[in-house]
Amino acid sequence: MKSILSILFLSLLIISCGKKDETANNTIQTQQQIEIINTWVRVSAQNMNTALFFEVKNKSLNPDTLYKVTSDAAEIIEIHETFHHENGMMGMRGIEFVEVPAKATVIFKPRDLHVMFINLNNDLMLGDSVQAELLFRKSGSVKISAEVKEMMKRE
Amino acid sequence: MSINNPYLNLNPSHNPSHNLSHNLNLTLIAALLLFISCSDNLPILDDLSGKNYKLISQSEFAFNFPGDYKGKIVVAGYIFTNCPDICPLTTNNLRLIQEKINEAGIKNVEFAAISFDPDVDKPAVLKKYAEIRRMDLSNFTFFTGEKNEIESLMKDVGVFAIPGDSVQTSSGNNMIFYIHTDRISLIDSEGRIRKNYLGSQTDTEEVAADIKELSN
Ligand SMILES: [Cu+2]
């Protein structure tokens, strides 16, 4: 009887420990699978447009997808890409989502992928910052703060 | 004429030393021709001197382009203010060239950012666009104009802008995003286009060097 009780107790301990470990792992994964670095947004004026840039680092073994960006800074927010047209012309267009492959980094940068802020609610001046939320299908929401700059660096 | 005429060597194998000097002469001429064509790094691509497009600046003064710039070298970029990615890069490149030229103490150079979206880019909009970027407007002007003037100017300088995606804002505005030529042009003091660059990725050192060449 005594030995049965101790086995039961031990197995309960194992079960609870296992459960605890699993939860901890999940939390760590959702928080750290996606890392957003080098965030910045370009100077622009109220009622005009601007673009938000950053790097998405996906550290997990699974791909993830950025499908939406929200912010109080602008009326409309879309994920865009700049493209080359015939005769050296340039344009941009909305895209539904951006996939970030496993163990990879996708860079949103000038002349390339950007998050378009349309009809800004306020002037965005040098040194200001903009809060935004990036929504990923697997990792959920990632909050960021982006500094207002003219360029990432002088090019 | 005899076969011994040293200037008419019909059979080169008879006089190998003369043949060598003849070849040398040809090489010199070829080198000279090459040198002449290379030094002309800035051919005339287009002559706007006979044209006078009526433009309006961000501070609402009327301007004849390029006539009112006569005697000055002009660096012109083509933009629309609703453009968030390419045109701010072009504007910033114009600013970087302006800084280099001002620092080098070169006078007689003007900078122009001309909008191909005059429906939206009224002078007040251009003014705001310049102010938020803290542009030095001492030798830099933003321009707009009547639609037909802008259209003929863009046609003549070879800048295309076709409507692409558009969005409807809550205020009922239909905002158009243009697919457009990405360009900065260098115009000499006689109103002639001497070189075109990719506006959003211009090598600002290259433009500064070309301005120096034109101003010599
Ligand atoms: Cu865009």
Side-chain angles (χ1 to χ4, degrees), chain A residues 50-51 78-82 92-93 114-116, chain B residues 84-85 177:
Chain A
T50 195
E78 295 177 349
I79 302 171
H80 276 203
E81 63 179 356
T82 297
M92 59 164 194
R93 60 193 160 211
H114 56 275
V115 174
M116 178 88 177
Chain B
D85 191 23
F177 300 117

Side-chain angles (χ1 to χ4, degrees), chain B residues 127-214:
Chain B
K127 191 167 189 229
K128 181 79 185 172
Y129 190 85
E131 274 172 4
I132 201 87
R133 290 178 165 73
R134 297 177 188 166
M135 303 295 293
D136 164 13
L137 296 177
S138 58
N139 58 342
F140 197 129
T141 313
F142 287 81
F143 288 111
T144 183
E146 294 290 335
K147 206 168 178 167
N148 58 330
E149 289 286 324
I150 292 291
E151 273 173 5
S152 52
L153 163 58
M154 293 302 163
K155 197 174 155 224
D156 288 344
V157 297
V159 169
F160 301 94
I162 53 175
D165 284 4
S166 66
V167 293
Q168 198 84 25
T169 64
S170 59
S171 54
N173 249 352
N174 186 39
M175 203 182 266
I176 299 166
F177 300 117
Y178 289 89
I179 300 164
H180 60 93
T181 308
D182 178 16
R183 178 170 295 177
I184 285 175
S185 316
L186 176 61
I187 303 169
D188 69 16
S189 55
E190 300 296 322
R192 299 173 302 191
I193 297 180
R194 303 296 291 270
K195 201 168 183 179
N196 290 316
Y197 314 86
L198 275 179
S200 69
Q201 46 183 355
T202 303
D203 176 349
T204 56
E205 289 291 348
E206 179 192 348
V207 187
D210 291 339
I211 292 170
K212 283 172 196 164
E213 192 178 329
L214 275 189

